Amino acid sequence: MTTTQVLITIVVLLVIAAIGYGIWFVTRRRALQHRFGPEYDRAVAEGDSRTAVERELRERERRHAELELRDLAPEARTRYTAAWEEIQARFLDDPNAAVRDADALVSELIAERGYPTGEYEEQVAHLSVEHARTLGHYRDAHEISLLSDRGEATTEQLRQAVVHYRTLFSELLGTDATPGAVPTTDANGTDADANRADVDVPVQRDPEDAAHDTSRRS
């Protein structure tokens, strides 16, 4: 084999290796995008670089694989469902307390499923591996909960927070939807959702609601 042939062979092998690496790289990226969904897009938008973000997401997968997650026993599922219905029932009397109780109940359920119950961001990171598509609801609920703690949340926002909490709660509980609806009131104080199953139907809001609306997610 001549020198030229050797060089050509080396070049061909390098090209094949580069193509193989490119396919492997793209496949890994698509796997992350598929697994994390909107959480991938959010992390890339907020991160310093896509490479650093993807490294961090793979680290989340590694830590998640070390968890000993468990399904709920039927009696535990029944207990959580009853507790959630109680929260929704007292929303009209004390919306702020209902949001606090919803946050506490979701945190309790997260712990019972086997997730660590540390700082909020750590909790979100662990949940993102299997619950990325409902994690936006949890983020929105948490944001409204912080507004509530400062006394800045409107009643409609508090209702939205309970709805957001319910989305993740239902997924962790292992049901399509938690029974019951978050009540709303019309201008006369009448329960607007008494005969409705759709808890996301918007209700009339005052200008203060619009100033703090966190229900829309990109």
Side-chain angles (χ1 to χ4, degrees):
M1 182 178 291
T2 66
T3 302
T4 301
Q5 290 174 321
V6 171
L7 290 175
I8 292 175
T9 300
I10 292 174
V11 170
V12 170
L13 291 176
L14 289 174
V15 170
I16 293 174
I19 293 174
Y21 174 79
I23 293 173
W24 172 82
F25 184 83
V26 170
T27 299
R28 292 225 311 171
R29 172 167 291 176
R30 287 180 177 173
L32 283 176
Q33 291 172 329
H34 177 74
R35 179 158 203 174
F36 287 94
E39 182 69 8
Y40 177 94
D41 296 332
R42 186 204 64 80
V44 169
E46 296 179 1
D48 295 330
S49 71
R50 187 182 294 267
T51 300
V53 165
E54 291 179 347
R55 187 184 306 115
E56 199 275 330
L57 292 178
R58 292 189 185 97
E59 177 61 18
R60 292 190 198 182
E61 289 182 317
R62 186 194 65 77
R63 295 196 303 269
H64 183 273
E66 296 175 350
L67 300 178
E68 295 183 3
L69 301 179
R70 49 191 175 268
D71 294 330
L72 292 178
E75 56 272 19
R77 186 176 289 110
T78 299
R79 172 169 52 84
Y80 276 107
T81 300
W84 185 264
E85 290 176 336
E86 290 180 5
I87 289 173
Q88 294 191 163
R90 62 176 175 266
F91 177 85
L92 289 177
D93 294 328
D94 195 341
N96 285 284
V99 170
R100 288 195 300 271
D101 291 346
D103 180 75
L105 188 63
V106 169
S107 295
E108 181 183 341
L109 176 56
I110 288 172
E112 186 154 348
R113 287 293 312 276
Y115 289 98
T117 55
E119 296 296 326
Y120 167 74
E121 290 300 333
E122 180 186 2
Q123 196 176 70
V124 167
H126 284 295
L127 289 170
S128 68
V129 179
E130 286 192 353
H131 304 282
R133 283 163 180 76
T134 54
L135 201 58
H137 289 280
Y138 190 41
R139 291 183 185 278
D140 285 351
H142 179 73
E143 184 177 344
I144 297 172
S145 179
L146 294 178
L147 289 176
S148 176
D149 291 341
R150 300 195 299 267
E152 299 174 1
T154 66
T155 301
E156 172 59 16
Q157 281 182 301
L158 295 172
R159 187 187 75 87
Q160 292 171 1
V162 176
V163 172
H164 289 315
Y165 277 126
R166 195 183 76 163
T167 302
L168 179 62
F169 181 84
S170 296
E171 185 166 291
L172 290 169
L173 197 64
T175 59
D176 293 334
T178 304
V182 182
T184 61
T185 56
D186 59 21
N188 298 319
T190 303
D191 185 356
D193 284 333
N195 297 312
R196 303 179 67 93
D198 186 355
V199 298
D200 292 321
V201 174
V203 296
Q204 185 176 5
R205 298 184 299 176
D206 58 39
E208 185 181 1
D209 291 327
H212 302 286
D213 190 7
T214 62
S215 64
R216 296 183 179 179
R217 300 180 302 281
S218 57

